[in-house]
Amino acid sequence: MQYGPPVDPRQLPLELPLSEAWPLYLVCVVLGLALSALAWVQRLPQPARALAFILGQVIVLTAPLAAVLERGVYGAFPTPDKAGQIQFYALGVHETLYLHPMQALEDPAVRLIGVHAGHHWVTALFDLFLDGYGPINAQAILWPTLGWFAAALLLRELSGSWRTAVPFAMPFGMGLHVFRDLNWHTIEKTSVALLALYAWSLLRSHRHGGRYRALAPLLFGLMALDNLYLALVGGIGAATLLLPAWARDRSWIPRGRTRDLAIAVLGSAAVVLPLGAYQAALLSGVEGKLADPDAYLYERAMLDTFSLWPPQWNRLEVWRALNLPLIGLGLGVAWRQRHKPLVQGLSLTAALLFLLALGPKPQGVWNPVYMGLRLLPGLWRLATPEVFFEGCYLALLSLSSLGPRKPAPVWVYPAMVLGWALVVHTHPAFPSFSEFQALELPTDWAERLGLVP
């Protein structure tokens, strides 16, 4: 089965067998275990201890990546996405987009990418001290770490236990879908941490109000600048959480905790409106040239979905892409605790995002939920419905964390790691290493796409 794009004939594998590169693996193991040991330093705040533990575990589980950041490419290279990512970063699209907006309106590279080039600033930060593909390789450690930690923050808020939150959050940040994207696609596809952080900020806004009502819109804006698809998932999820709470108030004006949540959600909408206007200005006059609506629907949106049969998440087998025991636990919680408002909100969010993840025509039947969303201005360009399942998965894992009445037993985490090693690490879509090659963008690329006369 082909899990990714066809292999480019220019690709050169970088062999790092354990028998020869064992010192590199040893460096990662020692460094990772040293960081993980900080979890037992009582003087550190609990979130810092959890972050140190997670970072250490990611370094160990992705070994020898941390020891070879500048030596090659983590994953296949070149691929269309990863080659383009480097080439457009070299063109400075992020600087033009955010520092020279008037110039951006005439720049074909910026008009092609749109407003969500914020991930290039993260690359620019690592570019200060790493060469070659190192700035993006570093993010192959950063984003899984933050994804795992951000989900753990959310699950800790829900379950009240870090011992439950850390292992239950692992499938979100370290899932096969994340590593498939690291293997073949652009780095912002792996920044699911922003989605989990936004969900956490909404929950904190609902429970505590105060500064979290301002933090949620800030995180939403950062997510939109990084990846508009994730922002769409977060926005739909936020609205789905807000509306049932608002309905329970039986008032046009939200009250109490619902008011705090409404302020956070409406603030998020206000933050993203200028970005939407900027995106519309960038695309003015080129939308039909880049692709027509039917092409996006039939040639892209129908392919990258969550498939009911065979059960696959964007061509990844469900039993390897998802943690099915935790999903089963989450579904059980959704049924047993269905009378609780929080469970109702999470269940409704998971259900709606799942329906959207099925795409336009699952199993040959038109999906009215997806097609209805596609009617909104600009959303005909939805090309990867599978991204909606990121939000569904997060909601299901959140429900699962509400199941155990006591903190998870200590054996749960080792069992999670063993399962990850056997199911995820051994999958053909899991990244290996390739040689880095400097590639130049064809001089007539903009003309080919019709972005310039």
Side-chain angles (χ1 to χ4, degrees):
M1 179 176 179
Q2 184 172 322
Y3 295 99
V7 177
D8 192 302
R10 296 171 295 177
Q11 183 176 328
L12 299 173
L14 175 61
E15 303 294 342
L16 294 169
L18 179 60
S19 58
E20 298 177 9
W22 64 265
L24 301 174
Y25 286 87
L26 182 61
V27 166
C28 292
V29 170
V30 171
L31 175 61
L33 293 180
L35 286 169
S36 298
L38 294 177
W40 284 268
V41 178
Q42 297 296 326
R43 293 182 180 180
L44 292 175
Q46 187 64 62
R49 292 160 59 189
L51 178 58
F53 176 81
I54 290 170
L55 174 59
Q57 294 298 291
V58 171
I59 290 174
V60 171
L61 295 174
T62 59
L65 174 58
V68 293
L69 292 178
E70 297 179 298
R71 187 167 169 181
V73 175
Y74 188 55
F77 192 85
T79 66
D81 280 4
K82 293 169 83 169
Q85 175 179 246
I86 286 289
Q87 291 162 342
F88 285 110
Y89 171 73
L91 289 178
V93 292
H94 53 299
E95 297 175 355
T96 304
L97 179 65
Y98 303 123
L99 303 181
H100 309 285
M102 298 308 296
Q103 181 181 341
L105 295 175
E106 304 298 329
D107 189 318
V110 175
R111 301 182 81 182
L112 177 64
I113 294 175
V115 298
H116 53 161
H119 54 283
H120 284 313
W121 286 105
V122 182
T123 302
L125 175 63
F126 285 109
D127 200 15
L128 295 175
F129 48 88
L130 289 172
D131 294 325
Y133 204 79
I136 298 178
N137 282 339
Q139 293 175 71
I141 294 176
L142 171 71
W143 288 119
T145 298
L146 291 183
W148 185 351
F149 175 68
L153 273 179
L154 174 62
L155 270 54
R156 165 64 176 79
E157 183 70 23
L158 290 166
S159 69
S161 167
W162 281 106
R163 211 165 78 184
T164 297
V166 170
F168 279 37
M170 182 184 178
F172 185 73
M174 294 287 285
L176 179 59
H177 197 274
V178 169
F179 283 94
R180 189 279 308 275
D181 286 338
L182 286 172
N183 195 2
W184 289 302
H185 301 297
T186 50
I187 196 65
E188 82 278 3
K189 293 181 181 292
T190 68
S191 55
V192 294
L194 297 172
L195 184 62
L197 280 175
Y198 181 58
W200 169 79
S201 69
L202 289 176
L203 183 60
R204 296 289 290 184
S205 297
H206 187 51
R207 289 181 169 179
H208 305 288
R211 64 182 182 273
Y212 296 104
R213 296 177 303 185
L215 178 62
L218 174 62
L219 289 172
F220 189 75
L222 291 174
M223 182 162 55
L225 289 173
D226 176 77
N227 189 326
L228 282 174
Y229 274 105
L230 287 178
L232 181 60
V233 175
I236 292 173
T240 311
L241 287 171
L242 172 61
L243 290 177
W246 197 343
R248 284 192 297 271
D249 278 356
R250 298 181 180 180
S251 169
W252 285 105
I253 301 177
R255 297 171 295 183
R257 292 179 176 178
T258 303
R259 178 179 298 175
D260 291 326
L261 179 60
I263 290 172
V265 174
L266 295 175
S268 301
V271 164
V272 82
L273 283 176
L275 296 179
Y278 194 11
Q279 175 78 348
L282 289 171
L283 294 178
S284 177
V286 299
E287 289 196 16
K289 297 177 182 178
L290 290 175
D292 63 74
D294 284 344
Y296 267 79
L297 178 64
Y298 293 103
E299 297 176 18
R300 299 188 64 181
M302 284 192 175
L303 302 178
D304 296 335
T305 66
F306 191 101
S307 168
L308 292 173
W309 193 262
Q312 294 175 343
W313 182 11
N314 199 10
R315 296 182 294 280
L316 296 173
E317 302 90 344
V318 161
W319 70 274
R320 302 190 74 167
L322 305 177
N323 188 297
L324 296 182
L326 288 185
I327 286 182
L329 178 59
L331 292 174
V333 170
W335 175 252
R336 292 192 305 272
Q337 302 183 29
R338 58 189 180 277
H339 59 283
K340 295 183 178 180
L342 177 60
V343 172
Q344 292 172 355
L346 289 171
S347 301
L348 183 60
T349 299
L352 177 59
L353 292 175
F354 178 71
L355 289 174
L356 290 170
L358 294 176
K361 202 173 183 180
Q363 313 307 127
V365 179
W366 288 106
N367 181 352
V369 178
Y370 181 88
M371 296 304 291
L373 179 67
R374 191 172 176 270
L375 293 175
L376 296 177
L379 293 190
W380 64 267
R381 293 192 57 168
L382 284 175
T384 55
E386 50 86 16
V387 73
F388 289 109
F389 195 78
E390 294 284 5
C392 176
Y393 197 21
L394 183 62
L396 290 171
L397 292 175
S398 298
L399 287 167
S400 74
S401 71
L402 297 172
R405 296 182 179 180
K406 299 179 180 179
V410 294
W411 57 263
V412 170
Y413 179 68
M416 295 285 287
V417 172
L418 178 60
W420 183 90
L422 294 175
V423 175
V424 175
H425 196 279
T426 60
H427 195 278
F430 194 85
S432 54
F433 290 86
S434 304
E435 296 280 1
F436 177 63
Q437 305 169 52
L439 302 172
E440 293 187 2
L441 196 63
T443 57
D444 63 343
W445 70 268
E447 288 85 349
R448 293 180 186 179
L449 293 175
L451 293 169
V452 295

